[in-house]
């Protein structure tokens, strides 16, 4: 395994462990509205950086014909972009009345995180280094030269760094 592959593999492992993507992608996603709450909780792998459009399917035919203006919804957490580490939005609350809600809305926007948190980058480097060294760990035992050997196991430091970002 070369170093770039170890870093890519570690990055995807971190995404899976945290149940979110720290890279950005621009696309349209369909999400279910909790009608009683007039809210859309994005859930796993659906952190939102910015919105281009929000649309509703009023007649449930799979076509999102009604555009929802930015004044008709609030992205939460409201202060997600404040502070030293910008956090993505994790839900959208509609300001419309319950009788005008459709079951699904469509959000076109940028998903992921605006920047990879420093702790996540550090955890990725630690995990990638372990995966790269793993090629020398026959049956999970890493030789340490004159110092004997070490059994390869989970890394509590990586878990500690990632815990605040895990869904």
């Amino acid at each position: 395994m070369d170093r770039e592959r170890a870093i890519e593999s570690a990055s995807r492992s971190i995404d899976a462990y945290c149940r979110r993507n720290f890279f950005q992608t621009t696309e349209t996603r369909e999400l279910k509205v909790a009608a009683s709450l007039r809210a859309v909780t994005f859930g796993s792998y659906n952190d939102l950086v910015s919105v281009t459009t929000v649309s509703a399917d009023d007649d449930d035919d799979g076509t999102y014909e009604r555009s929802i203006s930015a004044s008709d919804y609030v992205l939460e957490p409201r202060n997600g972009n404040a502070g030293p580490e910008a956090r993505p939005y994790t839900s959208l609350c509609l300001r419309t009345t319950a009788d005008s809600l459709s079951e699904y809305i469509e959000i076109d926007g940028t998903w992921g995180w605006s920047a990879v948190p420093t702790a996540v980058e550090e955890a990725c480097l630690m995990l990638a280094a372990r995966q790269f060294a793993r090629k020398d760990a026959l049956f999970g035992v890493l030789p340490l030269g004159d110092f004997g050997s070490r059994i390869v196991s989970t890394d509590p430091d990586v878990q500690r760094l990632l815990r605040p970002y895990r869904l």
Side-chain angles (χ1 to χ4, degrees):
M1 175 178 277
D2 66 12
R3 291 176 190 191
E4 287 181 28
R5 285 182 54 170
I7 290 172
E8 182 66 24
S9 174
S11 295
R12 297 301 68 83
S13 294
I14 287 170
D15 289 347
Y17 176 78
C18 293
R19 294 190 296 273
R20 55 184 5 145
N21 295 325
F22 292 98
F23 62 88
Q24 286 187 18
T25 183
T26 301
E27 61 189 40
T28 302
R29 297 186 181 177
E30 182 181 71
L31 299 161
K32 188 171 177 83
V33 176
S36 61
L37 303 173
R38 296 187 332 258
V40 179
T41 301
F42 301 152
S44 297
Y45 300 100
N46 283 318
D47 294 319
L48 183 64
V49 176
S50 64
V51 172
T52 305
T53 60
V54 177
S55 305
D57 177 9
D58 290 330
D59 52 8
D60 293 324
D61 65 352
T63 303
Y64 292 85
E65 56 274 319
R66 181 170 55 98
S67 180
I68 300 174
S69 75
S71 61
D72 289 335
Y73 63 84
V74 175
L75 294 170
E76 294 185 343
R78 290 186 185 210
N79 295 323
N81 291 329
E85 182 179 271
R87 293 213 169 230
Y89 299 109
T90 56
S91 63
L92 177 145
C93 291
L94 295 165
R95 292 179 171 156
T96 58
T97 59
D99 60 346
S100 65
L101 287 177
S102 55
E103 188 175 1
Y104 290 92
I105 63 168
E106 187 176 73
I107 301 174
D108 180 40
T110 302
W111 301 86
W113 283 58
S114 57
V116 178
T118 304
V120 173
E121 286 181 344
E122 187 64 25
C124 183
L125 291 174
M126 293 168 71
L127 187 57
R130 287 175 57 90
Q131 288 178 340
F132 187 73
R134 183 90 184 192
K135 67 181 179 358
D136 298 325
L138 184 62
F139 300 113
V141 177
L142 184 62
L144 299 175
D146 293 340
F147 300 104
S149 62
R150 177 173 175 257
I151 296 175
V152 177
S153 63
T154 60
D155 190 331
D157 291 327
V158 170
Q159 290 178 336
R160 179 184 50 79
L161 288 168
L162 296 175
R163 192 170 296 120
Y165 304 97
R166 190 166 193 222
L167 288 177

